[in-house]
Every structure is written in structure tokens, then in C-alpha cells.
Amino acid sequence: MMDLLNILLSESFWAASLRIATPLIFGVLGALICERSGVLNLGIEGIFVVGAMCGWMTVWLGSGLWGGVLVAACAGALFGLLHAILTVPLGLSQHVSGLGITLFATSVSYFTYRTALPNVSSPPRIEPFQALDIPVLSDLPFLGPVLFQQTALTWLALLMVLLVWYVLQRTALGVAIKAVGDNPDSVDAQGLSVYGLRIGAIVAGSALMALGGAFLTMSAFDAFFFGMVNGRGWVCIALVIFASWRPGKALFGALLFGAFDALQVRLQTEMGALVPGQIFLMAPYILSIIALVIAARSADYPRALLTPWFKGQR
Amino acid sequence: MIRIEPREATSRTFSVGVPVLSALISLAFAAIPLLAAGANPITAYGEMFKGVFGSVFAVTEMLTRATPLIFTGLAAALAFRAKLWNIGGEGQLYLGAMAAVAIGSGLLDISGILLIPIIIVLGAAAGAAGMAAPTYLKVRFGADEVVTTLLLNFIILIFVQMMLEGPLQDPMGLGWPQSAPVLDQGMLPPLMDRMRVHSGLILALVLAGLAQFMLARSVWGFKLRAVGENAAAARHAGINVNRSLFGVALISGGFAGLAGVSEVAGLKGYLTADLSPGFGYTGIVVAMLAGLSPIGVVIAALFIASVFVGADGMSRAMGVSSFLADLVVSVSLLCVLVGGFIAKYRIVRSGKAGATT
């Protein structure tokens, strides 16, 4: 019990929580934007892989880190555009298209990586984002290590929470995106383009998802591995429902998940002798299912989610 | 102004033509990554063909690869028919495989022919249980089964690793995370001497035929299709929708479990955590290519198995990554999706269409 308290009071635990939460923040925000416009994007898992691969490879080929981030976002946007074309103007099954995008994006990434590096035993490393070292702030007790010694991408993620919240709550564009996910007919009646809004939301959301992947290879680790995304995208899809499609709650959900994951790693080292380590590895996925079950009953789904809309048809 | 309107009826030409064209387009698409990898596509296609049809051994290897895909394809096809999105075939496969080795490796030392049917039934039951749980969460709490089955895949795989380092570990295995072998009398007999193709294939074909018949001819099949087409209308017509969903969940999970049984007791003989290279996920592509028809699943599984085995052969001969096969498979899924649109809708100038209504 004392041990648990020690963990919860330690700076390193909270710093790790925020670090683990970062890719999820990007992912949940991305999925949230797509779903708010009425389209489920199950391409998320594959778009994470693309972001991770493209970001890493761009830097490995000699670009700067921010160049890698930009390429990752563009690659994610491109796969998002493909999903958008299939699901919006063509109105195809969002489930199947999303799974197709995940399979396609993953295999494109793996094939590209293998073709560029046919015979490597240990994956080549890049110089990843370093922890920011802000004078004074980074030296603050507790808050310094937790908040101000994170990498720039974590800060970008937190900034994106604010930006997405602002756009959705305070701008006409946000109102339109939410309306198109609830009642596309009304948006169409106002002379706005349902297709345009949905496609735009999916492309923007997918770019954010890819940043979550880029964080993995450019900040959390310094290389690309097969299977490194490991279900993080699917966790985000569960977290969006838990967050009832709100950016602030999405941040909370991602942090909660991050804290839980950080806790299980620490408990694993403390209690490793008593319980098989895999119990702890399973825990985050089980937690996601529990969160989903709790939230599902009262979930206020965007009303037009999963429903295709065709111009000129009611 | 361009408008989209549904076709009056989807013709048989489309329901056969779309998957065939999708398969061909996805194969043609492979030329792009082949060129990018610096390989001559013509030579590569030749090597792929040789890899599948070049010898009796190659053909049997393709059939061996198709066997689990028929099972996982059926799992996806039946569930999707009822709009139950079982994306958990991968996890259910491992549950079936675990049950098979737990029982087959000596827990029940039954001699004679009784062990095989017990392994098959309990393996299917384990897979079925793996789909019953998310279906319960869906029906009882409204938890989206797409997400729960996807997450369960990860949970089950970690559970398999735990079992392989614990109760299921082979005591004679020098500490490797693998199970004890299935007893000889528990192994599905091979179909040909010195080849790996085994009688799991026969089981898959028989079950595909049975599923086709049940879906098209039985009351159960009728209810299943009604629930999938319009759950509210089916409920209104007096069909117990939840019961139908549970029924198809058990069958779907059972098929996926059989994929695991067949891989363990037909092919490998023991369980490791890398038993399946994603057969559960590929089963979804198989089902979609098949237009969710059980007989179609058999044909689609043969095609996709050919792509994988062919790409392996090509990869060995030319050094191009065998991830090419995954690329072709994913493109075929996207093609068949678009093809389904073309089969269902046509694009018209709204000026003309407006005059007819």
C-alpha cells in the first residue's frame, strides 16, 4: 500500500503518464473530429503505422524532425482522403472501408520499410525529439519534470486539445461540423456542402492520428518496429466513446489511460514475482473495454454517425 | 449535376464480376510496388504463378494456407450477414487453438478415434465463447462489438503468451514458450503422403457447404438475413433479434475457433504465440471478396492463399518483400468495396432522372 502511494506521488510516474497519453491524445482527437462529422474512421490503427513509419523515415533520410512531423501528417491526411472518398460521396460501409484502410496503410508502410531496408537486424535509430528544457519552469518542483520536461510533440498534443475545443465550440466551422454529424439535411438546406465538411473533417482527423504514430518513432522511441502501434488506434476508438465526443474529456480519458499504463509498468516491477507479467500487459485493453461498457449506455452518439448521405435523396 | 441513384436490381453478372475484377485489379496493382522495389513485374508474376501452381507440392501448400482462411472467412461472412461486426476472428482462432492443445496434448488420454471429434467440438466451443462475450456486452450494454472484439484480440494473444509460459508450456520444451504436442491420435490425418495438406480442409469444405445450405434454405438462415437487412423490421415481424444475434455469434466464433484447431491439430502439432499471421483479419477480406456467401468464401480463400503462397515464392526467388501479399490483399478489399458501389448504384445526370420521377 505504501508502495502504491509512493508511486502515485512520484514525479516520474506523472511524467510517464503524460508521455504515454500523448499518442492517444492525438488519436482520440483525430477520431473525435471524424465521428463528430458523422464518419467512423477505423483506418486509425493503420494511419498510426503510416505516421510512425513516414515520420521516422523522413528524418532517417536526412530531414529535420519537424519535416518528419509534417510528412507524417500529410501521409495520414492522404489515407484519410481515401477513406473520405469511399465513405462520403460513395457512401460505402464505414466499418469495412476503415478496416481496409488499416490493412492497406499497414501493408504499404511495412512494404516500404522492408524495401528500403531489406536486411537489417537492428532497426536504424534517429536522433528523436529531446525533452524541452525551459529555464525556470523546468526547475519547478513536481510540475517541472511532469509538464516542462516533456518533448515538443507532447506540447503540440496539448495545444491541439485547445485548438480542437476552440474550433468545435467557438467557430462557425465547428458548428457546421457538429451539425453535419447530427443532421446533414439541415446543413444541406443552409447551402453548405455536406461532402466538403465531412471530407475535410476526415482528412484533418487522419492527419492528427498520424501525429500520434509519429510520436512513437520520433519521441517515445527512436526507431520503427513492426507491430509497434499494438492496438493504440483501437484504444482511441474506445476512448472517444468514453469521452462522449468532447475534446476536454478526451484529454482526461487519454491521461487516465496513460496513468493506468504507467502504473501497471511500475506495479509489474514491484510485484513481478507474485503475478505473471502478462496480467499487467492485458490491463490497459481490459480497462478500455470496461470504459466502453460504462460509457456505452449513456453514449450520445452523433446522430448521423455511420449513416451515408447522398445529395438529392432524403 | 451528377446524381447517384440505386439500380433496380443487382444482376448476377455484377455479383460474380465485381469480385473477379477486384482480384485482377489488385494483382495488376502489385506492379507498382514491384517496380518501386526494382523488380521486373513480368518476371515477378511468373515467379508467383510458379510458386502456387509450379508443382504438386506448391498446390498442396496453397490448399494448406487456404484452410484456416476458409474457416475465418466463414466466421466473418456469417456474422456480417447479420450485421454483427465480428472483427475478433484472430482472438477466437487462438482460443480454439488453446483448447485443442489443452485437451489434445494429454489431458484426455483417449486412444482411438474419439479424441479428434472432442478436440474439434471443444475448440469450436472455445471460439464461440470468445464471440459470445462481446455479443453479450453489445446486447446488454450497447458496447460496440467492433471495438470490443478488436481489443479482445490483443487480450487473448497476451493470454496465450501467459499460458505458454505457464500451464500450457511443454515440460520437455527447454523453456521455449510453446505447448506440448498434440497426441498422434488427436492429429487430423494428412490428405497426401509427405505433404502438409490435411483433413482440416475437408472439414472446412463440408462446413462451407452446410453454411451455404442453412443460409439459403433454413428458417434460421431466413431469420439471420432478416436481422441483417433490417433489425427493427425483423423485431416487428416477431423474430427474436437478440437470440438470432447470439446464435450467429456462437457459430461465427465457432468457425474462427476451428481455424485454430485446424492449424494446431492439422498442421503445426503444437501451439506457439505466432501460430496465425493474421488469419482472423484476412478472413474479413475473404468474406468481403466472397460477397458474404459461404461458397464464395471457399473460392476467395483459394485466391488469397494463392496470393500469399505465390508472393512467398516470388520473395524467395527475387528478394522482394513478401509484405507485397498483404498489399495485394488489402487493395482487393478496397476494390471489392468500390465494386459493390458500382453494382448497387448508377451515376446519372439529374436533369434526365428528374424527368422520369
Side-chain angles (χ1 to χ4, degrees):
Chain A
M1 218 47 226
M2 246 349 258
D3 293 342
L4 187 65
L5 204 64
N6 277 337
I7 291 174
L8 289 179
L9 288 177
S10 70
E11 294 163 343
S12 70
F13 166 72
W14 289 103
S17 302
L18 184 55
R19 195 167 59 237
I20 296 169
T22 303
L24 301 172
I25 296 172
F26 282 120
V28 183
L29 286 177
L32 181 149
I33 296 173
C34 296
E35 292 183 28
R36 266 295 168 101
S37 83
V39 180
L40 176 70
N41 189 352
L42 292 182
I44 183 168
E45 182 83 5
I47 293 172
F48 258 75
V49 180
V50 161
M53 207 284 293
C54 287
W56 171 84
M57 188 166 272
T58 309
V59 176
W60 181 66
L61 290 173
S63 152
L65 286 166
W66 287 106
V69 171
L70 189 70
V71 170
C74 290
L78 216 59
F79 282 94
L81 182 65
L82 182 58
H83 183 60
I85 292 170
L86 294 176
T87 55
V88 179
L90 298 186
L92 295 165
S93 162
Q94 295 176 9
H95 285 117
V96 182
S97 170
L99 291 169
I101 298 287
T102 283
L103 292 177
F104 184 49
T106 307
S107 47
V108 168
S109 307
Y110 286 5
F111 184 83
T112 309
Y113 179 83
R114 244 310 151 251
T115 306
L117 300 148
N119 309 301
V120 288
S121 44
S122 66
R125 294 158 183 279
I126 58 168
E127 191 63 44
F129 277 100
Q130 299 299 315
L132 294 177
D133 198 10
I134 307 166
V136 188
L137 288 177
S138 295
D139 300 327
L140 287 175
F142 197 77
L143 278 184
V146 173
L147 274 179
F148 299 107
Q149 289 177 22
Q150 301 284 353
T151 68
L153 282 182
T154 297
W155 276 93
L156 183 65
L158 295 173
L159 207 66
M160 283 298 163
V161 177
L162 273 179
L163 183 70
V164 171
W165 173 83
Y166 179 80
V167 170
L168 283 178
Q169 296 303 327
R170 292 282 184 272
T171 66
L173 176 67
V175 173
I177 290 175
K178 286 187 288 184
V180 88
D182 272 333
N183 189 349
D185 284 327
S186 76
V187 172
D188 184 53
Q190 286 172 24
L192 293 170
S193 165
V194 174
Y195 292 169
L197 282 165
R198 284 190 170 171
I199 293 173
I202 299 168
V203 169
S206 302
L208 276 179
M209 294 170 182
L211 292 185
F215 176 84
L216 294 177
T217 48
M218 302 174 68
S219 185
F221 304 96
D222 53 7
F224 178 80
F225 312 96
F226 296 121
M228 76 184 304
V229 173
N230 207 10
R232 283 186 179 84
W234 309 132
V235 167
C236 291
I237 296 288
L239 284 178
V240 179
I241 301 172
F242 177 74
S244 45
W245 296 271
R246 287 167 199 284
K249 277 185 155 183
L251 173 64
F252 174 70
L255 286 175
L256 194 68
F257 190 95
F260 193 80
D261 211 15
L263 186 65
Q264 65 91 2
V265 173
R266 281 159 178 75
L267 286 178
Q268 203 176 334
T269 46
E270 301 231 340
M271 299 165 51
L274 299 172
V275 194
Q278 286 94 348
I279 296 275
F280 296 102
L281 292 178
M282 272 186 228
Y285 302 106
I286 296 175
L287 182 79
S288 301
I289 292 184
I290 293 173
L292 184 65
V293 168
I294 292 171
R297 255 299 152 84
S298 54
D300 187 15
Y301 283 83
R303 271 180 293 266
L305 186 65
L306 295 178
T307 319
W309 181 91
F310 294 120
K311 188 151 182 68
Q313 270 180 19
R314 292 297 303 258
Chain B
M1 194 66 213
I2 289 168
R3 238 170 51 114
I4 291 161
E5 70 174 31
R7 291 177 193 276
E8 285 77 25
T10 305
S11 70
R12 198 160 268 269
T13 330
F14 275 116
S15 56
V16 177
V18 163
V20 171
L21 258 181
S22 301
L24 292 176
I25 292 172
S26 62
L27 277 177
F29 165 88
I32 300 172
L34 280 168
L35 284 170
N40 178 347
I42 308 288
T43 326
Y45 285 125
E47 289 293 341
M48 274 193 234
F49 189 81
K50 232 168 55 188
V52 188
F53 301 108
S55 64
V56 176
F57 173 72
V59 175
T60 60
E61 279 299 291
M62 186 271 283
L63 293 173
T64 309
R65 188 72 73 99
T67 305
L69 292 176
I70 298 176
F71 284 118
T72 54
L74 288 172
L78 288 177
F80 286 14
R81 269 295 175 99
K83 294 239 163 67
L84 181 70
W85 299 100
N86 179 7
I87 321 292
E90 189 76 3
Q92 291 143 25
L93 180 153
Y94 275 103
L95 288 177
M98 260 194 296
V101 290
I103 299 150
S105 61
L107 178 71
L108 289 179
D109 195 359
I110 300 168
S111 53
I113 56 162
L114 214 59
L115 188 56
I116 290 178
I118 291 179
I119 287 177
I120 289 177
V121 169
L122 290 180
M131 188 54 207
T135 309
Y136 175 76
L137 294 181
K138 172 194 171 75
V139 169
R140 176 77 177 74
F141 299 103
D144 186 15
E145 75 277 20
V146 175
V147 187
T148 51
T149 53
L150 276 167
L151 291 170
L152 270 172
N153 288 339
F154 291 88
I155 296 172
I156 293 168
L157 191 61
I158 297 170
F159 184 70
V160 169
Q161 287 159 357
M162 185 166 103
M163 289 292 117
L164 291 179
E165 289 172 18
L168 283 181
Q169 189 170 34
D170 185 1
M172 318 291 276
L174 304 169
W176 287 101
Q178 69 179 46
S179 78
V182 175
L183 301 174
D184 281 346
Q185 67 266 33
M187 289 295 286
L188 305 172
L191 291 179
M192 287 171 78
D193 265 354
R194 284 175 294 129
M195 302 289 170
R196 300 204 302 167
V197 63
H198 55 87
S199 40
L201 178 64
I202 305 295
L203 181 66
L205 293 176
V206 169
L207 288 174
L210 191 67
Q212 178 78 30
F213 176 79
M214 293 288 284
L215 199 58
R217 296 291 158 84
S218 73
V219 177
W220 173 82
F222 171 77
K223 285 184 179 168
L224 181 72
R225 284 179 285 138
V227 169
E229 270 152 35
N230 189 337
R235 192 173 287 123
H236 192 71
I239 295 174
N240 186 335
V241 172
N242 286 352
R243 214 170 119 182
S244 277
L245 283 180
F246 271 110
V248 75
L250 293 177
I251 293 171
S252 169
F255 275 131
L258 285 179
V261 172
S262 139
E263 284 301 280
V264 157
L267 188 61
K268 298 282 169 65
Y270 56 87
L271 175 62
T272 53
D274 60 357
L275 177 74
S276 161
F279 287 134
Y281 300 104
T282 312
I284 297 167
V285 185
V286 169
M288 290 307 296
L289 269 180
L292 307 187
S293 124
I295 293 298
V297 162
V298 175
I299 300 164
L302 292 174
F303 166 70
I304 295 210
S306 304
V307 171
F308 275 110
V309 173
D312 280 349
M314 186 277 303
S315 179
R316 275 193 302 274
M318 307 179 62
V320 176
S321 161
S322 57
F323 281 119
L324 183 75
D326 300 87
L327 209 45
V328 170
V329 166
S330 62
V331 170
S332 75
L333 175 63
L334 295 174
C335 285
V336 82
L337 197 60
V338 175
F341 172 81
I342 298 167
K344 235 202 254 159
Y345 298 99
R346 60 179 159 208
I347 295 168
V348 289
R349 293 260 169 79
S350 69
K352 272 185 195 166
T356 57
T357 44

